[in-house]
Amino acid sequence: MSAPPSGPRESGPRDDGFVQAVRDAVDLVDLARDYTQVEKRGARYKGLCPFHKEKTPSFSIDPERGLYYCFGCGAGGDAIRFHMQLTGDDFPLALESLARRFGVPIPERRGDTSGVQEQSRVLEAAAEFFVRQLDRHAAPLEYLRRRQVPSEAYRALGVGYAPDAWRELLGALQGRFSEQLLESAGLVARSAKSGRPYDRFRHRLVFPIHSTSGRLVGFGGRTLGDDPAKYVNTAETDSFRKSQLLYNLHRARPKIRESGRVLLVEGYFDVLGAQLCGIDWVVASMGTALTEQQAKLLSRYAGEVILGYDGDRAGEEASRKALRILLRSGVAVRRARFPAGQDPDSLRLEEGPEAVRGYVDGAVDALELELARRGPETVADPRLRAAAAGELRELLEVVPDTVLRYSYGERAARHLGLPVEVFWRSRGASSAVRQGAAEPAEANVAPEARSSMEARILHLLLWLGRDALGARELPAADLFGDADCRELYRAFAAAVEADGMHGGDEQGPALDAALVQQGLPPASSAQGLLARLLAAPPEGVRDGEALTLLGTLAAKGALVRQRALQAELFAAQERGDADRVEQILAELAELRRRRHGARR
Ligand SMILES: [Zn+2]
């Protein structure tokens, strides 16, 4: 596995005595029971491996030596490594977490002020501060009352409040922690103009965010005012990497393992809402698109993921992106289809907990939904049918389990009215494309990488304004492949039309943010993207960066189009559609000509 081997070398300033004390104190069998069921067999314990999917146990623990080994996937090591592999904690964190759990006193760090322990302490202190403020202010309590969240529910999540001021948290913690520490913990930002520090969270409900092992690593804040950034998070730090965290996983983990399934929602309030409906096996991806790491994390605890994204177009799109990633990690995927415009929490308020539970229990197999989206009109039209077969085959190819993959393929083929060999043979088209494409590596750019480039461009445009593009005309919106990026870019371009949006810099966004915001559907995920991009200025901006990135994006767009054409070419040749073949070849030649032209 990718985690580095554990050893005293990595223990930093700690002495080896502490490492040994932790090794001696940890009960590996007890620890393993958090993740899988193990039974005693002779001198050893055996069970299903928590590191890979299996039906017959090949995971084995030697309790005397404190070592584990899996005969199926080769994972192995001691308790510290076990913890690191399953939680993503690094060595020092794993030590601390295990020390706490098995009652080993943790020595003070020597002279290391930016250490993990200090960061934990400052975050804990901030969490206490936020909770205290919640009880002292009417606005957050009134807000929670309006959303019908009983106090036990928000207290259980440790929800707090950041007051509507610039230096409240700073003032409260300054005596105990250095400004530098507050800044490195992601709680405090610094004014670009004056260099003065200020609270990152202001007039927000604050949700503490924990790592899988239960360590406080950051906060998410929801505005209670009219800040266009509806949600703001702690700045990314070494321990706070949003793409590797799932909100509420550390709390829900036992329930998820017990039930074998997990409800995946978008945000903090969806988690709260689901819990209030009696669904305590719920986690949130915190507004971002689901990442590979998050999917892997889920697949360790649950065999089935129920997608509970918002019942709107953005939620639909996010679900389909998540489906692809989840299938690859080997879990079954179902989708709760909330009514249009509803998320789990709004549905709870409007129709009550039973309704939410009903939608979740009635969640439909996500692949069946993908089939259903391709209705009779698809099957009737040869070209649509070929395209659908290609898309579905691509989606199913990544399912790791052979039997499952075959069964789904059979279903898909039947749905499209194709013999199953023909369905899988649409594979031929894609390998032909790979051979034909001039730059396969580039054409196969992961969608995530593409959309992060698109988001970077938008980040630059929003902060630097239209001037970031120099004299270049505004490009067409369909250059952006990611739906949210496209929507946000459209709103940006419209705002430029309306007021010019000149003269921004890294001190503050150029545009009238409200103008862009008005151009987006309310409560859409594009709004969330806008909020994230406005939360902090782009870092490390290079000269002409936006222009360069746009050029790259255009080139990639052409390659994607080329791939699609080549796939279609294959289908057109097979059915003997000479006219279409002609058209496709002409367009391919044009694309090639433009690409070579652009290089000169
Ligand atoms: Zn294994």
Side-chain angles (χ1 to χ4, degrees):
M1 291 226 140
S2 57
S6 52
R9 192 177 49 79
E10 294 163 84
S11 62
R14 291 185 193 293
D15 49 3
D16 296 349
F18 175 56
V19 178
Q20 201 46 54
V22 171
R23 285 216 169 92
D24 292 344
V26 172
D27 178 349
L28 182 53
V29 174
D30 179 56
L31 190 61
R33 284 195 163 131
D34 273 9
Y35 302 89
T36 180
Q37 290 189 347
V38 291
E39 279 170 32
K40 197 155 190 328
R41 295 279 160 80
R44 293 172 171 263
Y45 286 79
K46 288 209 91 173
L48 294 177
C49 176
F51 299 103
H52 83 281
K53 290 262 161 290
E54 61 174 7
K55 298 200 172 76
T56 50
S58 39
F59 177 74
S60 155
I61 296 176
D62 177 344
E64 223 152 279
R65 296 198 298 155
L67 297 172
Y68 66 96
Y69 185 73
C70 171
F71 295 92
C73 68
D78 64 4
I80 300 172
R81 186 159 168 74
F82 182 83
H83 176 94
M84 285 166 68
Q85 286 191 335
L86 282 170
T87 61
D89 279 357
D90 62 11
F91 188 72
L93 288 180
L95 272 184
E96 275 187 26
S97 160
L98 292 171
R100 258 196 297 276
R101 169 156 176 181
F102 292 98
V104 180
I106 301 174
E108 285 290 322
R109 279 204 168 194
R110 294 188 290 248
D112 179 7
T113 49
S114 61
V116 172
Q117 234 185 316
E118 281 76 13
Q119 208 150 81
S120 286
R121 249 189 254 130
V122 75
L123 290 170
E124 294 287 354
E128 283 165 23
F129 168 82
F130 291 139
V131 167
R132 272 200 311 275
Q133 298 306 312
L134 182 65
D135 287 323
R136 292 185 188 161
H137 290 84
L141 292 173
E142 168 59 21
Y143 180 83
L144 289 165
R145 197 194 54 75
R146 251 201 347 263
R147 286 189 83 145
Q148 297 177 32
V149 182
S151 69
E152 316 81 74
Y154 61 76
R155 288 200 198 288
L157 294 184
V159 176
Y161 172 65
D164 194 2
W166 290 88
R167 292 184 176 82
E168 288 279 312
L169 177 73
L170 253 172
L173 299 190
Q174 232 161 9
R176 297 157 60 196
F177 303 99
S178 70
E179 269 176 18
Q180 193 201 350
L181 186 55
L182 289 164
E183 206 178 340
S184 72
L187 294 165
V188 159
R190 227 169 251 280
S191 151
K193 281 188 191 123
S194 67
R196 281 190 74 193
Y198 61 87
D199 292 355
R200 236 182 129 80
F201 296 96
R202 299 177 306 277
H203 197 33
R204 287 175 186 275
L205 269 185
V206 179
F207 293 78
I209 301 169
H210 297 79
S211 72
T212 316
S213 62
R215 195 169 46 88
L216 179 60
V217 290
F219 298 96
R222 187 206 193 280
T223 184
L224 294 181
D226 44 17
D227 193 324
K230 194 163 150 200
Y231 287 95
V232 158
N233 290 109
T234 323
E236 294 262 316
T237 63
D238 280 350
S239 38
F240 185 74
R241 294 213 183 84
K242 228 169 80 174
S243 62
Q244 300 174 7
L245 294 165
L246 285 159
Y247 177 67
N248 201 46
L249 179 59
H250 73 292
R251 231 176 266 115
R253 205 168 64 180
K255 299 288 178 190
I256 293 172
R257 213 175 32 244
E258 199 181 296
S259 65
R261 57 183 182 167
V262 57
L263 176 63
L264 176 64
V265 296
E266 283 178 35
Y268 313 109
F269 271 100
D270 298 325
V271 167
L272 247 177
Q275 288 184 333
L276 289 170
C277 299
I279 300 169
D280 43 15
W281 31 279
V282 57
V283 301
S285 52
M286 298 186 285
T288 41
L290 189 75
T291 65
E292 301 264 352
Q293 293 107 307
Q294 290 171 327
K296 277 216 187 78
L297 212 48
L298 284 178
S299 72
R300 280 178 192 152
Y301 304 107
E304 180 181 274
V305 175
I306 299 176
L307 291 169
Y309 288 169
D310 296 4
D312 57 17
R313 212 167 48 84
E316 166 96 6
E317 196 139 349
S319 295
R320 291 176 53 210
K321 276 189 198 155
L323 172 63
R324 188 173 292 272
I325 293 171
L326 287 166
L327 284 178
R328 194 176 301 141
S329 68
V331 293
V333 188
R334 291 199 288 148
R335 257 180 69 188
R337 309 192 75 197
F338 298 123
Q342 302 276 26
D343 59 44
D345 198 46
S346 64
L347 188 66
R348 168 182 72 96
L349 294 179
E350 267 179 41
E351 295 182 31
E354 294 76 28
V356 178
R357 277 200 303 273
Y359 280 103
V360 170
D361 287 339
V364 191
D365 186 305
L367 274 168
E368 290 291 333
L369 281 178
E370 285 302 299
L371 294 184
R373 281 183 56 237
R374 287 133 178 126
E377 68 292 345
T378 303
V379 182
D381 180 326
R383 277 170 45 199
L384 291 178
R385 192 183 188 189
E391 285 161 23
L392 289 168
R393 194 250 318 133
E394 254 182 42
L395 188 63
L396 295 179
E397 244 174 15
V398 301
V399 174
D401 187 286
T402 321
V403 175
L404 198 60
R405 188 170 61 238
Y406 179 81
S407 313
Y408 276 132
E410 224 177 19
R411 279 283 299 118
R414 198 159 59 231
H415 181 81
L416 295 171
L418 296 169
V420 75
E421 327 73 76
V422 174
F423 172 77
W424 286 118
R425 224 179 43 170
S426 50
R427 173 187 284 278
S430 107
S431 50
V433 169
R434 265 176 226 129
Q435 279 164 16
E439 287 124 306
E442 239 184 297
N444 288 333
V445 170
E448 294 86 338
R450 224 179 111 86
S451 62
S452 84
M453 177 159 63
E454 296 177 1
R456 173 72 179 179
I457 294 173
L458 286 165
H459 203 180
L460 293 167
L461 289 179
L462 289 169
W463 283 79
L464 305 180
R466 195 249 174 273
D467 294 355
L469 297 180
R472 190 195 197 282
E473 255 178 60
L474 283 178
D478 59 12
L479 195 58
F480 290 80
D482 177 81
D484 289 344
C485 290
R486 194 163 54 237
E487 197 140 48
L488 183 50
Y489 175 77
R490 260 198 209 106
F492 168 84
V496 167
E497 292 262 324
D499 85 343
M501 295 201 19
H502 289 285
D505 60 19
E506 283 165 68
Q507 318 281 311
L511 61 143
D512 183 0
L515 206 59
V516 177
Q517 201 197 5
Q518 281 155 21
L520 296 170
S524 63
S525 56
Q527 290 270 14
L529 177 62
L530 175 64
R532 282 201 300 286
L533 296 179
L534 289 180
E539 285 174 7
V541 179
R542 282 167 283 127
D543 271 346
E545 188 183 354
L547 274 173
T548 313
L549 289 178
L550 272 175
T552 314
L553 197 62
K556 287 192 201 313
L559 278 169
V560 169
R561 175 72 185 144
Q562 184 185 330
R563 276 184 84 183
L565 286 171
Q566 276 161 332
E568 210 206 316
L569 179 62
F570 188 85
Q573 278 166 338
E574 274 220 322
R575 64 175 191 270
D577 183 347
D579 286 352
R580 184 59 194 150
V581 168
E582 202 72 41
Q583 270 174 5
I584 293 171
L585 289 175
E587 196 180 333
L588 281 172
E590 168 66 18
L591 282 173
R592 224 166 280 134
R593 198 185 54 73
R594 246 190 277 161
R595 203 172 66 232
H596 292 301
R599 283 219 184 105
R600 254 176 243 131

